[in-house]
Amino acid sequence: MHSLKACGILLLLMGLAGGCGGQPATYLVHGTVLFPDGKPLARGTVEFEALGQTKPITASGEIGSDGTFRLGTFAANDGAIAGEHRVAVISDYEIGTGVERPGELPPVQLHPKFRSFKTSGLKFTVKPRMNNILVEVDYAPAADDKK
């Protein structure tokens, strides 16, 4: 009986030492998405993807009308894991809202390069504390610039 109790305690301690596959710690991340002229991007999503992980770990947050966002990884607004992240910013209109009708869709505001982690050029380091991040983006090229 004494040996069985010792075995149980040993297994419990081994489980605690191994971490039992728990989630990594997250740290609060909030910020603002601004254009070069200081105007905020007033809608969309900011996505952070942690670099150097065996499986992708992403955090995302909705951009408010004032350009601000808060990231969440495992729950809304719980932050992002510490370390370097590449960043994408998506600001497209939702299909089915009525704005997609021909002639009613406003011009795209955000440069399309920001839609992808690979092309955005945005990288930020999340530190083990509260993080306030300024995400600077560019306007989409004018229709005349695309020629």
Side-chain angles (χ1 to χ4, degrees):
M1 181 94 164
H2 188 273
S3 156
L4 184 61
K5 189 175 183 180
C7 246
I9 292 172
L10 182 62
L11 286 172
L12 176 66
L13 290 174
M14 286 174 58
L16 291 174
C20 296
Q23 306 175 156
T26 57
Y27 301 93
L28 293 179
V29 178
H30 61 91
T32 308
V33 182
L34 295 177
F35 289 105
D37 59 6
K39 291 183 182 174
L41 176 63
R43 65 175 158 63
T45 305
V46 175
E47 295 183 6
F48 278 49
E49 181 181 65
L51 297 172
Q53 302 297 312
T54 53
K55 289 195 268 183
I57 298 177
T58 59
S60 63
E62 188 173 335
I63 300 168
S65 60
D66 60 354
T68 61
F69 65 90
R70 286 187 69 144
L71 294 182
T73 300
F74 304 109
N77 302 326
D78 70 346
I81 67 169
E84 190 173 11
H85 295 253
R86 57 187 188 164
V87 177
V89 181
I90 296 115
S91 181
D92 296 322
Y93 290 94
E94 290 182 31
I95 301 300
T97 61
V99 297
E100 74 278 2
R101 293 187 189 109
E104 292 186 29
L105 189 63
V108 175
Q109 193 176 20
L110 181 66
H111 195 293
K113 74 178 182 181
F114 293 104
R115 290 183 187 162
S116 169
F117 294 123
K118 293 178 184 176
T119 60
S120 76
L122 298 171
K123 284 188 179 177
F124 295 99
T125 300
V126 173
K127 307 230 186 232
R129 62 170 193 253
M130 181 181 278
N131 297 265
N132 185 13
I133 295 176
L134 174 61
V135 180
E136 296 176 296
V137 295
D138 297 319
Y139 285 108
D144 295 342
D145 294 345
K146 294 179 184 176
K147 294 179 184 178

